[in-house]
């Protein structure tokens, strides 16, 4: 029986990080520029050493930007340390990819900083693990049926609430039962930050109430029920989305397949192989 790959084999080395005292605006700009959805947060503990103290995701950012507790503060005046998740769940480079997948699923997270002792040496994400999917099953067997959807005219405020209440990182945008767009947690977070930053003092809430899904939704991406899971995983990785809607031949949304669904499948495959 072949040995399972280690975390070190798949992790991204030298991950992009952000300092705890940096602004949320800086963190979001870094995410956009470096095309990442999470940043390990570090704090300097000596002249030549930084320590991992948290992790910031786009969902953390989206929640913070529209949170009433920050009042009229713009992202440039909110510190990363105020919105990051801490303590951080980590993994060692010598752990197996099965350990990594099980840890992510157990804690409902999408990425793990990799620590060698107390030194940050990498990060491994669901995206990295999807490259191991080998199942010959069709999407129809593993998709979530009757997913939550929004219309193009839905307010961003309502879409944000749906994402958090239902823990959904991707929302198909539907008109007359047909797919017309896609809203992801990343798109939502970046737009909320842009709105917050450009709104005059005291005007953010009213601007947020006016903002609609069709202002920011991306071009629809989808798969059909007879799509292979390997192809679906490759599409999700290539398009940098948390998941894709599943449509029938009339382009009606009948399901969604996400990174989490594929990760559950991968765990089953790896456990069976072991």
């Amino acid at each position: 029986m072949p040995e399972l790959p280690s975390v070190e084999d798949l992790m991204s080395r030298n991950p992009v990080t952000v300092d705890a005292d940096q602004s949320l605006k800086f963190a979001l700009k870094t995410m956009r520029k470096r095309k990442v959805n999470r940043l390990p947060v570090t704090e300097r503990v000596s002249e030549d050493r930084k320590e991992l103290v948290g992790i910031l995701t786009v969902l953390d950012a989206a929640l913070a930007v529209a949170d009433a507790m920050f009042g009229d503060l713009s992202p440039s005046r909110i510190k990363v340390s105020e919105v990051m998740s801490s303590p951080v769940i980590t993994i060692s480079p010598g752990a197996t990819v099965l350990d990594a997948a099980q840890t992510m699923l157990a804690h409902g997270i999408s990425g793990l900083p990799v620590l060698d002792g107390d030194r940050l040496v990498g990060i491994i994400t669901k995206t990295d693990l999807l490259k191991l999917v080998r199942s010959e099953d069709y999407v129809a067997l593993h998709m979530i049926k009757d997913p939550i959807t929004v219309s193009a005219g839905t307010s961003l405020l309502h879409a944000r609430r749906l994402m958090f209440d239902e823990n959904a990182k991707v929302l198909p945008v539907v008109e007359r039962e047909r797919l017309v767009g896609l809203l992801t947690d990343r798109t939502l977070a970046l737009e909320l930050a842009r709105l917050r930053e450009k709104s005059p003092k005291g005007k953010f809430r009213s601007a947020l109430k006016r903002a609609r899904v069709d202002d920011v939704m991306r071009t629809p991406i989808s798969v059909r029920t007879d799509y292979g899971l390997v192809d679906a995983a490759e599409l999700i990785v290539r398009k940098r989305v948390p998941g894709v809607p599943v449509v029938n031949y009339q382009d009606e949304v009948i399901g969604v397949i996400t990174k989490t669904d594929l990760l559950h499948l991968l765990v089953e495959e790896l456990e069976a192989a072991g």
Side-chain angles (χ1 to χ4, degrees):
M1 189 69 64
E3 194 171 301
L4 289 178
S6 69
V7 165
E8 189 172 21
D9 294 330
L10 265 73
M11 71 183 190
S12 299
R13 300 172 189 276
N14 303 314
V16 185
T17 63
V18 66
D19 288 342
D21 60 358
Q22 281 283 9
S23 71
L24 185 57
K25 180 181 179 180
F26 177 85
L28 284 165
K29 183 178 178 181
T30 302
M31 287 183 186
R32 184 187 294 113
K33 182 178 179 181
R34 302 299 292 269
K35 297 181 179 179
V36 295
N37 289 330
R38 65 195 53 78
L39 294 169
V41 182
T42 58
E43 191 171 70
R44 187 169 294 282
V45 292
S46 67
E47 192 172 314
D48 60 350
R49 191 169 73 86
K50 289 184 176 183
E51 184 176 83
L52 181 70
V53 294
I55 191 161
L56 179 74
T57 69
V58 289
L59 275 178
D60 294 328
L63 179 61
V65 166
D67 198 321
M69 72 174 281
F70 291 110
D72 287 327
L73 287 180
S74 74
S76 60
R77 296 178 62 194
I78 301 172
K79 285 189 175 183
V80 167
S81 59
E82 295 178 275
V83 299
M84 69 185 187
S85 296
S86 181
V88 196
I89 299 164
T90 63
I91 198 164
S92 69
T96 68
V97 291
L98 178 57
D99 295 329
Q102 289 173 329
T103 301
M104 288 182 201
L105 291 175
H107 294 279
I109 55 179
S110 297
L112 293 165
V114 184
L115 292 185
D116 186 359
D118 60 359
R119 187 168 62 95
L120 179 66
V121 295
I123 190 167
I124 188 164
T125 68
K126 285 180 180 176
T127 299
D128 299 316
L129 295 173
L130 289 197
K131 297 167 187 174
L132 298 176
V133 172
R134 296 290 182 269
S135 172
E136 296 179 359
D137 281 354
Y138 293 116
V139 163
L141 298 174
H142 299 275
M143 69 182 187
I144 300 169
K145 296 179 181 178
D146 303 317
I148 300 162
T149 63
V150 292
S151 67
T154 300
S155 73
L156 279 188
L157 192 59
H158 180 65
R160 170 187 171 273
R161 190 176 304 117
L162 277 177
M163 279 191 168
F164 289 111
D165 288 350
E166 304 296 335
N167 194 27
K169 294 187 177 182
V170 57
L171 292 175
V173 185
V174 173
E175 290 293 334
R176 296 181 181 177
E177 299 185 356
R178 284 177 168 75
L179 182 69
V180 296
L182 199 66
L183 183 67
T184 68
D185 55 348
R186 178 184 176 86
T187 306
L188 179 67
L190 295 178
E191 177 60 14
L192 290 177
R194 188 190 70 80
L195 273 178
R196 168 77 84 166
E197 196 67 31
K198 77 168 193 174
S199 297
K201 188 172 182 180
K203 300 295 184 182
F204 172 65
R205 289 286 156 189
S206 57
L208 183 56
K209 287 177 182 177
R210 291 193 302 271
R212 299 175 7 144
V213 166
D214 58 1
D215 294 331
V216 297
M217 69 184 189
R218 55 184 294 169
T219 303
I221 308 164
S222 64
V223 296
R224 300 201 188 278
T225 52
D226 57 358
Y227 222 71
L229 287 175
V230 172
D231 292 331
E234 288 175 352
L235 179 66
I236 287 170
V237 170
R238 188 171 72 252
K239 295 294 185 178
R240 298 177 180 272
V241 290
V244 290
V246 183
V247 299
N248 60 22
Y249 282 92
Q250 287 73 47
D251 284 330
E252 297 167 335
V253 176
I254 58 173
V256 68
I257 186 88
T258 69
K259 289 180 181 178
T260 301
D261 303 321
L262 291 165
L263 198 62
H264 277 291
L265 175 67
L266 178 63
V267 167
E268 291 176 9
E269 289 182 340
L270 294 177
E271 287 176 340

